[in-house]
Amino acid sequence: MKLRLTYLILASCFALLLSHKSHANSTLKPANQAKEEAKNIIRLSKENPTTSSGHPGQGSSKDKTSQISLANSDQQPLNVLELTDVFNLIDAFHPSLKSSELNMQNARAELMSAWSTFIPSYKQRGVLADYLDSKYKRQQELSSINEITWQSPFAIELVGGLRVSSQSLLPSDTLEYPGSKAYLTNIKRTRLSGFTDGEVFLGLRMPLLRGLLIDSHRATLKKAKLENPLAEISIRIKRAELFLKGAEKYWDWVATGLQYEVAENLLEIAKVRTTGIEDRVKEGANPPIDAVEAQSQVNSREENLAKARRNFEKESIALSIYLWESDLSYMTPNKQHLPRYIPEPISIPESIIDEHLALSLNDRPELRRIELNQKQEQINLRLARNEMLPKLDFEVLPIQDLNRLDGGSNIIGSIHLDLPAYPLKAKSQVLKTKTKIEKNKLELNLTQAQIKNEVRDALSFLETSRERANRAREAFEKLKQVAEGEQLRFKYGGSNLFLLNQREAAAAESENKLIEALADHQKALARYRYAIGEWSIPDFDDSWLLRLAQSNKP
C-alpha cells in the first residue's frame, strides 16, 4: 500500500513536470480596421475584468489547473490579447495620437487664414464738410466713397467703386452756425434733393519689380499649403512611435506572464511532492528531515512566485497605458488575456532587407518632413530676395463722370517708386534663410544615416536574439531531459530530494531564459518594422511578415 501511494505521488509530479513543453510557431494576424476590432477588445475586457483581489494576473483557483506554458498548440484562448489588438486600440483611441490628429485642424486654419487675404473687401466712407465758400456763405457737402478691392493671387490688385457727393444742404440765406436753434430748424425744413456729383472708377495696381513674382501674402499661402502634409507626417511618426513602444511593452507583458506560469507550475509540483513526503514521514518510511527540506522548497518557490507575480503586475500596468477605450479610460490586462505561446524566431532574407532599406531611405516620414521644411525655407528665400528689389508699382484708374456720360471719362496712370539706400534688412533675411537651408541639408544627411543605423541595429538585435532563442531552446530541452531522468531515479530510489529540486530549478531557469530570448526576438522584430517604416509609410506592403512566417513553418 505504501509503495502504491509513493508511486502515485511520484507519477503525478512527473506528469506535472512534463507539462512544460516548447513553443509552437505562430504568426501575427494582419491588422483590420482599428475601431471595429477595438470595440471587440473593449467588450472583451468588460466581460473578463481583473480579479477581485486587484492584482492583474492573479486568477481564481480554477486558473491553477489550466496553466499557460510553452505548449505546442495552435489554439489561443478566445479572449487572448494579440499584438494587432494593441495596435488597433492605439490607432483608435490613444490620446497622444488623437492630439497629433488635431494638428490637421490647425493646418486647415492656417490655410483659411492665408486665403483670407485674397477675399474681396468692401469699404464705405461718408464725409460731411461744413465750410464757407468764396462769398462767405456757409455750405455743407455730403460725400460718400464706396470702394471694392480684390488682391488676386497673381500680383494684380483690382480696385473699383463709386464716389458721389451733394452740396447745398443748407438754405443759401442761412448764416447760423451748427448747433443753433435756427440751424436746426432749417435742417428740418431742408430736404435732400439727391446727389449732384459723382464718378465711377475701375482700375488695377500691379508691381513691376518687388512683389511681381512673390510677395508676403502669396508666400504665406504657399507655406500654408504645406502645413497639411506636415500634419499628416506628424501623425504617422507619432503612430509608429506608439506602435513600437506598445509592441515592446506587449512582449514584456507576455514574457513575464509566461514566467509567472512557470513559477506557478514549479510551486504546484513542490506542494504535491511535499504532501506525499509528509505522508511517508508519518508512516515512518522517510526521516522527518525530508519533510522539512520539501517544505523549505515550497517556501522558496512561493517567494519566487511572488516575485514573478509582481513582475507580471508591473508589466500589465505598463501595457495598460496603450489599451485605451472610447470613453478615454484604459484597461489593465490580466492573465486571462495572456497568449499561450510566443512566435518562433524568423530569419529575414537579404533580398527583403535590401528592398526595405531602400524604401525606408526614400519614404520614411522623417525624411519627408525635412523635405517639406526645406520647401518652406525655399519660399522664404525667394521672398527675402524679392524684398531686395526696388518697389516699382504701376497703377491705372479709368474714371467715368456720372454727370457727363457722353464722354466725361478720364484715365489716371501713375508709377510709384520706392528705392531704399541699402536693403540691409532684406540681405540679413536672405542670410538667415540660407543658413536654415544648409542646416536642413545636414539634418537630412544625418537622418538618413540614423535610419540606416536603425535598420542595421534592428537586424543585429534580430539575429542575435534568434541565436539566443535557438541556444536557449537546446539548453532547455537538455535540462528538461535531465530533470525527467532525475525524476525517474528519484522514483526508484537512486536519487535524493536535493538533487531533484536542483534539476527542476535548473530546467525552470532555462525555460525562463528561453521565454526571455523569444520575447527579445519579437521586440527586435518590432524595432525592425519601425526602422523600415512599415507603420509610418503609406501603402507599405505589410504582408511580407505573414508570408515569411508561413515559409519558415516546417
Side-chain angles (χ1 to χ4, degrees), residues 26 31 36 76 112 120 146 191 195 199 214 225 242 245 272 305 314 345 355 360 393 423 441 447 457 470 493:
S26 176
E36 292 300 324
Q76 293 275 34
M112 292 170 60
N146 302 269
R191 293 184 178 180
F195 291 104
E199 57 185 13
I214 191 172
K225 290 180 179 179
L242 291 174
K245 295 178 181 179
V272 173
L305 178 63
K314 177 182 177 181
E355 178 184 349
S360 62
D393 297 343
K441 291 180 180 179
T447 305
D457 182 66
N470 292 336

Side-chain angles (χ1 to χ4, degrees), residues 117-312:
T117 308
F118 304 101
I119 296 178
S121 62
Y122 171 74
K123 298 179 183 179
Q124 184 181 33
R125 184 178 62 175
V127 178
L128 176 61
D130 187 4
Y131 61 93
L132 296 175
D133 61 9
S134 58
K135 298 180 180 181
Y136 299 98
K137 292 184 179 181
R138 181 164 302 281
Q139 299 289 341
Q140 277 193 343
E141 179 179 350
L142 177 63
S143 62
S144 175
I145 302 175
N146 302 269
E147 183 176 286
I148 297 177
T149 59
W150 177 50
Q151 176 64 56
S152 72
F154 311 105
I156 299 176
E157 181 181 2
L158 300 179
V159 182
L162 172 67
R163 298 191 189 100
V164 292
S165 63
S166 178
Q167 294 181 345
S168 302
L169 294 181
L170 295 176
S172 59
D173 58 347
T174 300
L175 296 178
E176 300 295 336
Y177 291 96
S180 64
K181 183 176 180 180
Y183 175 85
L184 296 176
T185 302
N186 289 330
I187 284 294
K188 293 180 180 180
R189 294 176 180 176
T190 304
R191 293 184 178 180
L192 185 61
S193 59
F195 291 104
T196 57
D197 297 310
E199 57 185 13
V200 179
F201 57 94
L202 178 63
L204 61 87
R205 303 187 186 101
M206 180 177 178
L208 300 179
L209 290 177
R210 186 196 304 174
L212 177 61
L213 300 179
I214 191 172
D215 55 35
S216 59
H217 301 309
R218 281 177 286 169
T220 302
L221 179 60
K222 290 178 181 294
K223 290 188 292 185
K225 290 180 179 179
L226 298 176
E227 290 296 330
N228 192 68
L230 281 172
E232 293 178 355
I233 287 174
S234 67
I235 294 174
R236 299 208 305 268
I237 292 176
K238 176 58 69 173
R239 179 176 179 266
E241 291 175 350
L242 291 174
F243 276 19
L244 175 60
K245 295 178 181 179
E248 291 178 340
K249 290 300 179 182
Y250 173 80
W251 292 117
D252 286 338
W253 171 72
V254 172
T256 55
L258 293 178
Q259 291 172 346
Y260 179 34
E261 293 296 331
V262 171
E264 279 189 329
N265 287 336
L266 277 178
L267 178 60
E268 193 69 25
I269 292 173
K271 286 182 177 180
V272 173
R273 181 183 297 127
T274 301
T275 301
I277 291 176
E278 288 176 348
D279 292 340
R280 287 179 56 81
V281 170
K282 291 178 182 179
E283 295 171 357
N286 282 41
I289 193 64
D290 287 352
V292 175
E293 183 179 0
Q295 185 58 46
S296 67
Q297 190 64 29
V298 170
N299 296 336
S300 176
R301 294 183 182 184
E302 285 177 342
E303 178 187 357
N304 293 335
L305 178 63
K307 182 179 179 180
R309 188 183 70 233
R310 164 57 188 153
N311 291 335
F312 180 59

Side-chain angles (χ1 to χ4, degrees), residues 391-411:
K391 184 176 179 59
L392 181 63
D393 297 343
F394 170 72
E395 180 178 357
V396 58
L397 190 65
I399 301 175
Q400 174 64 53
D401 193 340
L402 295 178
N403 294 328
R404 299 173 59 188
L405 297 178
D406 55 347
S409 60
N410 299 314
I411 297 178

